[in-house]
């Protein structure tokens, strides 16, 4: 028969955060909504990783109310906990068992150069093969075996390869190589925690990311029904389409224009483009105008008959911005209205961060 590869992915970030909170309650570990969302993102939504980090926090006797505790639990489990044990077995099973080409440490060192989901250039694969004494056929056989061991991902017809889209395994490959060089685990643990501290500075980006994912999940629940316009700052009814595709999207026009929209929902003959703001300050007219400009590029790229603009802001909008959007027919929703919509569709409210 004809076989196709379908990689398993992690839980949707919203469900990953919910799992983190449920596991934390079970193990008697305190966890904030912010850290639950952060943990889901950091682990790629992998249920095993999420559970392992929470259990490690219970073993360490710490709560997961802040980033320092989360960093400590994640780093500890990656160096000496359940995550380390599982990934060590996976890597060693291949390196010492299935690998028939005699390439071990050099291979892991090569893979550790690439970030999550990053494409590994064909010329680099060939060059690596030459460096370790493998011809073109052999090095492609090696990478096909790596794909079967889930240490890389392969494209159609085994013509392209990318680093795994698993952030924890990707990190572990670098840790494993350092262990091979006999770096003490205590030093590795300190290095990881220092690295993770730097990630804390990017927390504001995670807030926006979580808000996008909440809106994304909400839009997947719509089935063509009508709802009151009060949820979107307009009078009358608003039809909520049954989207064929929903997600973050980079868009290019034939003239070279480029824009990345927080969420795009496609349906037959039309689309919704969405921008989501999670911050204390209200959205003003200038920001709405920028959104319009970006949506104009999206309209050209999508080539749809009809398109609706939807702006979501947790802290709401200035009076001027609301008046401007009503005149322009731009849908707009504040945090309270969004929570009402989420409740209507059986979803949890937007987390406070």
């Amino acid at each position: 028969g004809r076989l196709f590869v379908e990689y398993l992915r992690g839980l949707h970030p919203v469900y990953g955060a919910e799992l983190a909170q449920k596991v934390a309650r079970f193990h008697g570990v305190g966890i904030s909504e912010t850290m639950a969302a952060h943990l889901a993102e950091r682990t790629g939504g992998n249920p095993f990783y999420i559970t392992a980090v929470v259990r490690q926090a219970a073993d360490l006797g710490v709560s997961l109310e802040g980033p320092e505790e989360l960093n400590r639990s994640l780093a500890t489990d990656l160096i000496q906990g359940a995550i380390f044990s599982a990934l060590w077995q996976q890597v060693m099973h291949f390196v010492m068992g299935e690998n028939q080409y005699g390439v071990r440490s050099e291979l892991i060192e090569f893979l550790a150069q690439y970030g999550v989901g990053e494409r590994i250039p064909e010329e680099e694969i060939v060059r690596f093969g030459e460096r370790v004494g493998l011809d073109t056929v052999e090095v492609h056989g090696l990478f096909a075996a790596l794909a079967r061991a889930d240490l890389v991902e392969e494209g159609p017809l085994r013509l392209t390869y990318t680093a795994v889209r698993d952030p924890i395994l990707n990190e572990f490959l670098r840790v494993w190589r350092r262990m091979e060089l006999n770096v003490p685990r205590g030093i590795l643990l300190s290095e990881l925690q220092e690295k993770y501290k730097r990630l804390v500075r990017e927390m504001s980006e995670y807030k926006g990311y979580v808000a996008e994912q909440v809106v994304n999940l909400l839009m997947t629940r719509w089935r063509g029904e009508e709802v009151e316009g009060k949820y979107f700052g307009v009078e009358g009814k608003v039809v909520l389409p049954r989207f064929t595709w929903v997600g973050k999207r980079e868009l290019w026009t034939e003239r070279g224009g480029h824009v990345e929209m927080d969420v795009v929902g496609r349906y037959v003959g039309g689309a919704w483009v969405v921008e989501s703001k999670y911050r204390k300050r209200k959205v003003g007219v200038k920001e709405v105008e920028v959104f319009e400009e970006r949506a104009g590029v999206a309209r050209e790229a999508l080539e749809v008959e009809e398109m609706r603009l939807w702006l979501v802001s947790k802290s709401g909008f200035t009076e001027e911005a609301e008046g401007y959007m009503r005149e322009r027919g731009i849908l707009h929703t504040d945090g309270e209205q969004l929570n009402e919509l989420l409740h209507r569709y059986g979803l949890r409210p937007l987390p406070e961060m």
Side-chain angles (χ1 to χ4, degrees):
R2 295 174 175 84
L3 304 180
F4 299 91
V5 175
E6 182 67 32
Y7 284 100
L8 293 177
R9 300 299 180 204
L11 294 172
H12 187 286
V14 172
Y15 295 132
E18 186 171 346
L19 173 63
Q21 291 175 310
K22 287 182 176 180
V23 175
R25 282 197 299 271
F26 181 81
H27 289 284
V29 175
I31 188 170
S32 66
E33 288 191 332
T34 307
M35 289 303 105
H38 192 40
L39 176 58
E41 198 278 337
R42 291 273 291 278
T43 57
N46 184 310
F48 169 69
Y49 296 154
I50 292 171
T51 303
V53 173
V54 175
R55 290 182 64 179
Q56 184 63 242
D59 291 343
L60 292 171
V62 300
S63 67
L64 296 175
E65 301 292 345
E68 289 187 8
E69 295 86 354
L70 176 59
N71 288 341
R72 180 184 172 193
S73 299
L74 178 54
T76 301
D77 215 75
L78 187 59
I79 296 297
Q80 59 190 35
I83 293 176
F84 168 81
S85 178
L87 297 185
W88 185 84
Q89 290 182 49
Q90 179 182 346
V91 173
M92 289 302 292
H93 178 71
F94 176 81
V95 169
M96 303 305 293
E98 294 184 6
N99 179 6
Q100 304 298 317
Y101 300 91
V103 183
R104 294 181 171 85
S105 296
E106 303 97 326
L107 177 60
I108 302 303
E109 186 174 12
F110 176 75
L111 296 178
Q113 300 176 68
Y114 296 94
V116 177
E118 184 179 351
R119 184 175 177 273
I120 304 173
E122 168 68 17
E123 58 272 19
E124 291 298 324
I125 293 175
V126 173
R127 195 173 294 125
F128 170 75
E130 293 171 350
R131 192 164 68 247
V132 297
L134 300 178
D135 62 29
T136 303
V137 173
E138 289 174 325
V139 77
H140 279 93
L142 172 61
F143 271 78
L146 275 171
R148 290 195 297 273
D150 291 325
L151 295 178
V152 297
E153 294 184 12
E154 62 183 1
L157 305 178
R158 297 181 178 173
L159 296 177
T160 59
Y161 294 93
T162 61
V164 288
R165 291 178 174 83
D166 179 336
I168 303 300
L169 175 54
N170 194 273
E171 182 79 74
F172 177 78
L173 293 176
R174 284 182 281 277
V175 171
W176 189 87
R177 178 58 183 146
R178 298 272 283 153
M179 287 182 176
E180 285 284 287
L181 296 173
N182 295 317
V183 177
R185 293 194 183 196
I187 292 177
L188 288 174
L189 186 58
S190 298
E191 289 177 350
L192 266 185
Q193 287 183 283
E194 187 60 36
K195 176 182 177 180
Y196 292 161
K197 270 187 182 179
R198 294 194 292 271
L199 289 175
V200 173
R201 303 180 192 126
E202 302 170 11
M203 277 299 292
S204 59
E205 295 181 15
Y206 292 123
K207 292 179 184 180
Y209 173 81
V210 170
E212 290 171 17
Q213 295 299 324
V214 168
V215 173
N216 178 321
L217 183 60
L218 172 63
M219 291 170 66
T220 64
R221 297 292 181 94
W222 297 348
R223 294 293 180 268
E225 64 274 21
E226 290 186 340
V227 297
E228 299 87 343
K230 65 177 183 178
Y231 297 119
F232 298 95
V234 296
E235 296 181 358
K237 299 283 188 178
V238 174
V239 177
L240 305 182
R242 178 191 288 268
F243 295 109
T244 56
W245 187 91
V246 180
K248 196 177 186 75
R249 188 81 179 270
E250 287 190 69
L251 300 166
W252 289 267
T253 67
E254 292 183 359
R255 295 181 296 177
H258 169 252
V259 67
E260 183 177 73
M261 305 306 300
D262 290 345
V263 187
V264 175
R266 289 293 304 264
Y267 59 93
V268 178
W272 280 40
V273 294
V274 187
E275 187 157 308
S276 174
K277 305 282 189 186
Y278 192 118
R279 62 187 187 197
K280 294 180 181 179
R281 181 167 54 85
K282 293 184 177 182
V283 169
V285 174
K286 291 288 186 185
E287 290 161 298
V288 178
E289 291 175 341
V290 170
F291 174 46
E292 274 191 300
E293 291 175 11
R294 288 161 47 77
V297 177
R299 183 187 298 273
E300 184 179 346
L302 291 168
E303 297 180 338
V304 290
E305 297 175 8
E306 58 183 37
M307 190 174 83
R308 300 216 71 165
L309 280 60
W310 183 26
L311 186 55
V312 180
S313 169
K314 182 182 183 299
S315 298
F317 312 89
T318 64
E319 289 185 14
E320 295 82 358
E322 287 186 343
Y324 180 84
M325 287 187 287
R326 279 194 293 268
E327 290 177 4
R328 307 283 290 178
I330 300 173
L331 305 179
H332 50 284
T333 302
D334 62 23
E336 185 177 341
Q337 294 163 337
L338 179 61
N339 282 337
E340 290 179 13
L341 265 178
L342 291 168
H343 178 72
R344 182 179 183 130
Y345 285 89
L347 298 172
R348 297 178 63 181
L350 190 66
E352 291 294 335
M353 291 191 266

